[in-house]
Amino acid sequence: INLNVNNPMKTMHCSDLGGICDEKISAESWGDMVTAMTKHVNANHPDLAKEMEKMHVENPDKWGNEMKPKWEATPVETEVVSGDSQSIT
């Protein structure tokens, strides 16, 4: 059994990132998570998107400063891959 960490993913819920639902969002990097969360909020929570945009205008770093530590504390998912078993004779 090998642990495949070629694409280390982290999964968080919308609500972990200041959102209002339990949708799972996965990404390989903090930047990718910000992009995915922004798309999710814009598509699914338009009222919250307006509030977040207003917050961003008032203090562009506030959300990131509050949420990035949560990202950093989230464990990387590891995919268990069965190796090719070959018998040696």
Side-chain angles (χ1 to χ4, degrees):
I1 295 177
N2 298 323
L3 295 179
N4 182 2
V5 291
N6 291 337
N7 295 315
M9 299 287 284
K10 292 187 177 187
T11 299
M12 300 179 76
H13 294 93
C14 172
S15 58
D16 296 332
L17 296 165
I20 56 175
C21 77
D22 286 329
E23 180 81 21
K24 289 182 179 180
I25 302 169
S26 298
E28 292 181 22
S29 69
W30 171 243
D32 290 347
M33 181 59 79
V34 171
T35 299
M37 179 62 177
T38 301
K39 287 180 183 177
H40 169 77
V41 169
N42 285 330
N44 298 287
H45 313 299
D47 292 341
L48 179 60
K50 290 176 187 173
E51 289 177 34
M52 291 179 87
E53 184 177 347
K54 181 180 175 188
M55 181 177 64
H56 181 74
V57 169
E58 292 172 0
N59 184 348
D61 297 326
K62 182 178 180 182
W63 183 82
N65 289 341
E66 292 177 3
M67 299 303 148
K68 191 171 183 184
K70 292 181 181 184
W71 161 264
E72 291 171 349
T74 299
V76 171
E77 296 175 7
T78 54
E79 180 182 347
V80 177
V81 178
S82 296
D84 292 325
S85 54
Q86 298 177 352
S87 58
I88 301 172
T89 55

